[in-house]
Amino acid sequence: MSIALKQVFNKDKTFRPKRKFEPGTQRFELHKRAQASLNSGVDLKAAVQLPSGEDQNDWVAVHVVDFFNRINLIYGTICEFCTERTCPVMSGGPKYEYRWQDDLKYKKPTALPAPQYMNLLMDWIEVQINNEEIFPTCVGVPFPKNFLQICKKILCRLFRVFVHVYIHHFDRVIVMGAEAHVNTCYKHFYYFVTEMNLIDRKELEPLEQREHLPETNPAVLMDAGCRRQGAQTPDSLQTSRRSQASEDGKGRDAERQRGSHCAMMGHR
């Protein structure tokens, strides 16, 4: 492993402290099982499938925490290059802008510099995954009825970190020699959220716009992987752009398309 790539796994580079599972718990065992599958070189599409006999909420909880840790680490490696000067708006290329709303300080979708958006996002996710009423750690304590909806919102927002890193900072990832790690992490994330139906297809559009991405962009990677497995590719998915979409609940932050064909879209 190159020195540059080792930096990607340096705990000091982590944007936020990692959330860990308590040894001896069911979730800890599921986490080890998931990691063992990944480390054994098992096909990622197979690795994300719900194991027979396991609870869906437990499986989702394990992956949400794991993706938070991994994406947090990825952003931590480039955050010194993501400043209010370089990234005055949290965006994903010229067509997508993400606005923050949390119904606390930011009651309306608010345009923010990318680093400020990222700080608020990671803080918000930490609160969710450390809340025992949402992510219970004690055996026998049930998940809340809206658990999957909360996880969908977390994963949707984490996806935006991938969008920003790929489109605005992938040059730094390449310099560090970490593109293989980031690409694998994205493929794992993509296969999981699509397998478990946890992200609306239209949310994935920013990383399907090839013209804004490097040669090792995830759309190309996903196409290649899907063709090998005879599966449907992201480019074959029928997605539509809407000139305007309404808010459908609290805690939404808006994404808007900019340029001559501006559109406003609110996303939970």
Side-chain angles (χ1 to χ4, degrees), residues 71 74 158-166 185-186 189 207:
I71 295 170
I74 289 171
L158 280 175
F159 175 74
R160 296 169 185 180
V161 182
F162 275 122
V163 174
H164 187 74
V165 169
Y166 265 114
C185 185
Y186 175 74
F189 180 92
L207 289 186

Side-chain angles (χ1 to χ4, degrees), residues 54 81 119 180 213 215 219 234:
E54 298 296 348
F81 306 101
N119 272 296
L213 298 171
E215 286 298 318

Side-chain angles (χ1 to χ4, degrees), residues 174-234:
I174 292 174
V175 167
M176 291 186 291
E179 62 268 32
H181 169 71
V182 175
N183 287 338
T184 298
C185 185
Y186 175 74
K187 288 171 69 177
H188 185 198
F189 180 92
Y190 176 90
Y191 285 136
F192 180 76
V193 298
T194 53
E195 168 71 21
M196 305 301 292
N197 195 29
L198 293 170
I199 287 187
D200 192 305
R201 289 289 185 178
K202 65 178 169 38
E203 288 282 356
L204 301 174
E205 287 182 359
L207 289 186
E208 294 172 359
Q209 307 302 309
R210 297 167 183 270
E211 66 270 21
H212 304 307
L213 298 171
E215 286 298 318
T216 51
N217 79 67
V220 171
L221 292 169
M222 301 312 302
D223 276 357
C226 289
R227 278 197 298 271
R228 284 195 300 272
Q229 298 160 30
Q232 186 180 34
T233 68

Side-chain angles (χ1 to χ4, degrees), residues 6 17 26 44 83 90 144 261:
K6 283 183 179 179
Q26 175 67 10
L44 286 173
T83 66
M90 175 58 182
H261 300 287

Side-chain angles (χ1 to χ4, degrees), residues 13-172:
K13 286 281 187 177
T14 305
F15 192 55
R16 288 288 187 281
K18 292 181 68 175
R19 167 72 188 272
K20 298 181 179 179
F21 300 100
E22 290 295 327
T25 64
Q26 175 67 10
R27 238 156 281 158
F28 179 76
E29 295 305 316
L30 280 175
H31 172 70
K32 288 202 305 182
R33 182 172 178 175
Q35 292 305 304
S37 294
L38 291 175
N39 294 335
S40 68
V42 169
D43 171 58
L44 286 173
K45 289 198 74 174
V48 300
Q49 294 173 3
L50 178 66
S52 177
E54 298 296 348
D55 179 73
Q56 180 184 16
N57 286 342
D58 276 321
W59 189 240
V60 171
V62 164
H63 282 81
V64 167
V65 173
D66 187 51
F67 286 132
F68 169 70
N69 289 335
R70 290 170 180 266
I71 295 170
N72 166 37
L73 182 59
I74 289 171
Y75 183 70
T77 65
I78 60 89
C79 64
E80 63 185 291
F81 306 101
C82 182
T83 66
E84 293 190 7
R85 183 182 64 81
T86 62
C87 306
V89 175
M90 175 58 182
S91 62
K95 295 182 179 180
Y96 297 90
E97 178 181 326
Y98 300 113
R99 296 185 172 190
W100 183 256
Q101 181 178 352
D102 55 22
D103 289 332
L104 296 173
K105 181 178 178 180
Y106 299 92
K107 297 184 182 300
K108 296 181 179 180
T110 305
L112 297 172
Q116 187 178 353
Y117 183 103
M118 295 292 189
N119 272 296
L120 290 168
L121 171 59
M122 298 303 180
D123 285 345
W124 176 79
I125 295 177
E126 274 193 309
V127 169
Q128 310 303 309
I129 65 177
N130 287 313
N131 185 338
E132 284 288 329
E133 294 184 357
I134 301 175
F135 284 77
T137 57
C138 297
V139 176
V141 177
F143 289 92
K145 292 182 179 179
N146 63 339
F147 177 70
L148 289 180
Q149 289 302 314
I150 293 171
C151 289
K152 286 180 179 181
K153 186 171 182 179
I154 291 173
L155 292 167
C156 174
R157 289 179 165 182
L158 280 175
F159 175 74
R160 296 169 185 180
V161 182
F162 275 122
V163 174
H164 187 74
V165 169
Y166 265 114
I167 295 177
H168 297 282
H169 301 292
F170 202 69
D171 57 336
R172 298 306 310 176

